[in-house]
Amino acid sequence: MASVTYKQISKRFADGTTALADFNLQVNDGELMVLVGPSGCGKSTALRLLAGLESVSNGELLINDAVINDLTPQQRNIAMVFQNYALYPHMSVRRNLAFPLRMLKLPPEEIARRIAWAAELLQLTELLERMPKQLSGGQRQRVAMGRAIVREPRVFLMDEPLSNLDAKLRVRIRTEISALQRHLKITTLYVTHDQVEAMTLGQRVAVMNSGRLQQVAVPQLLYERPANIFVAGFIGSPGMNVFASRLQKQASALAFEFAGQWLEVPRNQRFNPEMLAPYVDQPVYVGLRPEAFEPTGSSEAQVELTLTAVEALGHEQLLYFDLSQVSAPNMIVRLQGSSAFTIGDKIPLALHTTELYLFDKMGKAIYTRAEKEKR
Amino acid sequence: MSWRRLVSMGLSYAALLLLAFLFVSPILLMLTGSMKADARVLVEAGSFRAFLPLDVDLQNYRDVFARVDFGRYLFNSLYITGMVVLAGLVVNSLAGYAFARLAWRGRRVLFGLVLAILILPLEAIAVPLFYQVTLFGWRDTYLVQIVPFIANAFSIYLFYTFFLGLPRELEEAARLDGAGVLRTFIAIIVPNSKPVFATVAILSFLSQWGVFLWPLMVTSGEAVRPLPLAIATFYTLPPLQWGDIFAFGVMMVLPILLVFLFFQRWFIRGVVATGIKG
């Protein structure tokens, strides 16, 4: 049982690149924390630092309040599942599982007992005498998991463990990992670039970009209250549409500019005129999720936009609109079901402005104080 | 099959056969010559009969054993070469691994030096080396023929490039599983590096088996001298008997053939890729 703390961690590599900058993260005992971000955002580096495979440039790494910066990987008692599984090719499944236990110099009966336990848990019993090259991708993945759990490590690290599997198997093993983690209650850090995997698997999710932590929250809150434009665009598939805009004071209320129109800023728990006062006549960004639009009769329409592409997914379809007169190149609208649209047509759209998001010119989300505290 | 294709195929086969014969002929000549009476070797040398084992006679082999203590020389050669190969595998693989994977100060500079040694022939350092071993009192020993040749720049380089190609995750997994550097090397790296160990074993056996200059410089009696020096006595001391020389040659080549046959399945097999990715 262990909690993990990254305290102002930074990592610079010898070639001068900064992989992590001022990174702070607290992972609670028994929690499954997902680190998610685009490739090169530093999420794998964060994992490798904790494993001891890379050295920390600055800051402190703690397990249960004890600094582990100077411990070797062997001393940390952390297990890791690699993206390519890294099974020892010359050893049978049984010997792969036994390797970490032999390193611990456990008695043979104990080794046999633990292998039997892990094999049972992961349905590997039939495969124990096989060699890695005789296993399918999903089986190798399970062996890699088994090798990590037999040791009963303090912390469990997974570096994109599903990315070499096909889509169907990925979904199945995702649920298996989730169930296994809840069963074993081992503190787990899970790295992925796939936001769907992050949202479905993580008890909390840490979104990262360019070596910096953007936001840590439970999945639903990431979606509902993104901290900045990056998180808004990264979470959700497709992500939020974000446009450069301005705020203006009009007779009855504040208005924002969208596709050449002035639309009213709603007055709700997220926004009120007092808090938005400093942003009036200033450049801001507005964000609207693909779900916040609806095709409608032209009388209720707030904007009319030219359709440039349609992607039909069966249960829903994605409509692409050209917004080249605004800063973003195109805008995506998601619709349930299927209806016929012709590319090139002007489609009248209604906006659910209650689902409006506003960001300041630095990209930080603007919320009322109450909303901020919720986060 | 068209005539045209048949002719072109026939021509290419003929050309290939001729080439193959060119490369095999010296060995064939040695083999047939070793089984002929001495007088006939020279008489038939000018004709095609040189390649035909016309009458099989093992007298030359008996002569070799009568003229020198072949067993003694063979043992010396096997012992010296064997030790150089075995110790070389240990030392050079460890060095190659240190250069390929471990982080330590001065690694680049030292590796540059190792590469520089690659182009340095033994002849260039033979004399200073000779003074050095004389100082150690090593002349006329096995030691003097083994120790200077254990560390080998080319072997280190071969190991280095092979280890660079191994997936790093294997080692990282072993480290996390609780293995130290040496344990990782022995339990994980070595078993997955059989091709490079076989390659280095064969190459260093070959180069060591034929050494002539160095043992000539540092040894005097037949007690520790290897085969190449023994065969040299057949050339340099009369009577010059080609049949005996050929018979000696055949017996000297046999061990190389055996070593190659033993290692070739690893030699030919490519890189390990199993266990990694799907």
Side-chain angles (χ1 to χ4, degrees):
Chain A
M1 297 291 101
S3 65
V4 171
T5 310
Y6 290 83
K7 208 185 248 178
Q8 289 171 330
I9 293 287
S10 48
K11 172 66 183 173
R12 277 176 307 280
F13 285 109
D15 63 0
T17 53
T18 302
L20 275 182
D22 195 25
F23 183 72
N24 290 293
L25 185 67
Q26 161 87 36
V27 187
N28 301 325
D29 183 16
E31 184 178 28
L32 199 171
M33 170 72 80
V34 175
L35 304 184
V36 68
S39 56
C41 72
K43 55 192 192 297
S44 284
T45 303
L47 221 57
R48 294 171 59 83
L49 288 176
L50 186 62
L53 297 172
E54 307 278 356
S55 63
V56 175
S57 306
N58 252 319
E60 281 184 338
L61 271 175
L62 298 99
I63 293 183
N64 288 341
D65 305 322
V67 178
I68 58 157
N69 285 30
D70 297 327
L71 297 187
T72 63
Q74 299 99 293
Q75 294 166 329
R76 296 188 187 196
N77 193 12
I78 288 175
M80 182 157 168
V81 175
F82 291 83
Q83 184 174 0
N84 58 19
Y85 317 136
L87 302 182
Y88 308 127
H90 60 297
M91 296 183 185
S92 65
V93 171
R94 182 187 297 282
R95 288 184 58 216
N96 262 284
L97 295 180
F99 188 76
L101 303 175
R102 278 175 31 221
M103 293 302 113
L104 288 174
K105 300 199 167 60
L106 294 181
E109 321 78 73
E110 176 65 9
I111 292 179
R113 191 189 67 74
R114 291 217 202 167
I115 291 176
W117 166 77
E120 170 83 34
L121 197 63
L122 292 161
Q123 294 152 39
L124 292 170
T125 313
E126 309 291 309
L127 307 173
L128 281 175
E129 308 313 323
R130 300 256 191 103
M131 300 302 279
K133 64 176 174 226
Q134 299 169 302
L135 302 176
S136 69
Q139 290 168 335
R140 286 180 201 186
Q141 213 282 334
R142 294 215 301 275
V143 176
M145 300 271 300
R147 194 175 62 187
I149 64 171
V150 278
R151 251 208 5 235
E152 297 168 6
R154 291 197 290 178
V155 183
F156 205 13
L157 308 180
M158 300 196 210
D159 192 0
E160 309 235 2
L162 303 182
S163 57
N164 284 333
L165 302 175
D166 63 61
K168 264 196 175 146
L169 200 55
R170 206 177 301 163
V171 173
R172 208 186 78 202
I173 298 201
R174 196 167 75 199
T175 13
E176 284 178 17
I177 289 178
S178 177
L180 186 71
Q181 200 274 339
R182 268 178 280 128
H183 173 68
L184 297 173
K185 296 187 184 66
I186 297 177
T187 311
T188 303
L189 272 87
Y190 186 107
V191 159
T192 179
H193 63 270
D194 179 351
Q195 58 97 13
V196 177
E197 211 168 291
M199 298 289 275
T200 50
L201 207 50
Q203 289 157 10
R204 283 193 302 155
V205 176
V207 183
M208 298 178 64
N209 188 35
S210 332
R212 287 181 184 276
L213 187 63
Q214 306 292 315
Q215 186 174 5
V216 194
V218 297
Q220 196 57 31
L221 213 50
L222 281 184
Y223 179 82
E224 289 172 356
R225 298 288 178 271
N228 55 37
I229 290 180
F230 179 80
V231 177
F234 193 79
I235 300 295
S237 59
M240 189 184 288
N241 299 299
V242 179
F243 317 97
S245 177
R246 279 181 303 151
L247 286 185
Q248 207 175 66
K249 206 165 209 154
Q250 293 190 342
S252 56
L254 282 175
F256 67 93
E257 188 191 11
F258 174 71
Q261 311 277 329
W262 287 96
L263 304 173
E264 208 168 279
V265 175
R267 192 188 274 261
N268 58 19
Q269 78 271 21
R270 239 185 292 164
F271 305 119
N272 58 53
E274 298 78 59
M275 60 161 289
L276 289 177
Y279 302 101
V280 172
D281 293 325
Q282 298 285 324
V284 294
Y285 292 93
V286 299
L288 284 160
R289 291 226 174 256
E291 299 84 355
F293 298 87
E294 205 175 353
T296 171
S298 29
S299 56
E300 300 117 63
Q302 286 152 298
V303 288
E304 277 198 3
L305 295 170
T306 311
L307 185 65
T308 56
V310 179
E311 284 176 358
L313 302 171
H315 64 293
E316 64 181 31
Q317 52 185 348
L318 301 177
L319 309 183
Y320 289 75
F321 293 96
D322 183 18
L323 275 188
S324 42
Q325 74 271 31
V326 191
S327 71
N330 57 39
M331 180 184 92
I332 304 175
V333 168
R334 175 153 63 184
L335 293 181
Q336 297 298 315
S338 63
S339 29
F341 291 100
T342 314
I343 290 170
D345 278 2
K346 287 232 175 229
I347 311 282
L349 291 169
L351 275 74
H352 301 297
T353 50
T354 47
E355 289 168 39
L356 177 76
Y357 291 86
L358 288 175
F359 303 93
D360 68 15
K361 60 175 190 262
M362 305 302 289
K364 219 167 143 273
I366 306 167
Y367 295 118
T368 59
R369 183 166 296 140
E371 284 299 302
K372 262 191 203 149
E373 273 159 13
K374 215 193 240 175
R375 255 175 50 221
Chain B
M1 203 183 287
S2 71
W3 275 107
R4 214 189 198 159
R5 265 202 75 185
L6 226 85
V7 169
S8 83
M9 232 171 80
L11 281 176
S12 62
Y13 267 94
L16 288 172
L17 273 173
L18 186 73
L19 270 175
F21 180 74
L22 270 175
F23 281 97
V24 174
S25 58
I27 298 165
L28 200 60
L29 193 70
M30 178 175 76
L31 194 65
T32 53
S34 74
M35 295 184 284
K36 286 175 189 173
D38 218 49
R40 290 184 57 177
V41 175
L42 285 180
V43 172
E44 288 171 1
S47 74
F48 201 73
R49 295 159 67 99
F51 297 109
L52 304 175
L54 292 172
D55 55 337
V56 177
D57 173 9
L58 296 181
Q59 184 56 41
N60 292 330
Y61 290 87
R62 283 191 283 273
D63 287 349
V64 168
F65 283 102
R67 287 174 67 182
V68 295
D69 187 352
F70 186 85
R72 175 92 228 161
Y73 286 113
L74 179 65
F75 171 81
N76 290 346
S77 263
L78 283 176
Y79 181 70
I80 293 164
T81 309
M83 292 308 282
V84 168
V85 170
L86 285 179
L89 286 179
V90 174
V91 168
N92 298 316
S93 65
L94 284 169
Y97 185 67
F99 283 122
R101 280 294 205 259
L102 306 184
W104 41 281
R105 200 173 288 275
R107 178 174 71 148
R108 275 158 194 256
V109 176
L110 216 60
F111 190 63
L113 278 176
V114 168
L115 289 185
I117 291 172
L118 265 179
I119 56 165
L120 207 64
L122 171 69
E123 285 78 358
I125 57 161
V127 173
L129 195 61
F130 177 79
Y131 279 116
Q132 191 183 353
V133 297
T134 308
L135 215 66
F136 290 171
W138 280 7
R139 302 242 321 255
D140 254 327
T141 59
Y142 286 127
L143 216 56
V144 73
Q145 300 179 73
I146 294 170
V147 175
F149 304 101
I150 291 174
N152 181 297
F154 186 57
S155 302
I156 292 175
Y157 184 71
L158 284 179
F159 278 117
Y160 168 81
T161 48
F162 187 89
F163 292 149
L164 275 189
L166 281 180
R168 201 180 268 272
E169 288 87 350
L170 281 184
E171 289 149 74
E172 293 178 344
R175 298 296 303 281
L176 285 171
D177 278 347
V181 176
L182 195 62
R183 174 63 71 103
T184 304
F185 182 74
I186 294 168
I188 306 298
I189 301 299
V190 174
N192 289 301
S193 305
K194 284 172 190 160
V196 69
F197 278 90
T199 307
V200 170
I202 291 177
L203 292 181
S204 59
F205 187 96
L206 280 180
S207 67
Q208 193 59 35
W209 192 249
V211 289
F212 179 77
L213 176 69
W214 183 249
L216 185 69
M217 286 171 72
V218 295
T219 61
S220 43
E222 81 175 26
V224 295
R225 284 194 154 181
L227 287 169
L229 292 189
I231 199 173
T233 62
F234 283 62
Y235 292 106
T236 45
L237 302 174
L240 193 59
Q241 286 177 329
W242 285 104
D244 293 0
I245 292 173
F246 286 152
F248 197 112
V250 169
M251 291 193 285
M252 198 171 145
V253 166
L254 270 178
I256 298 179
L257 222 65
L258 290 177
V259 166
F260 188 79
L261 286 178
F262 182 73
F263 282 114
Q264 69 154 350
R265 64 195 183 110
W266 300 115
F267 192 58
I268 291 163
R269 186 175 293 185
V271 187
V272 271
T274 47
I276 295 299
K277 291 230 166 167

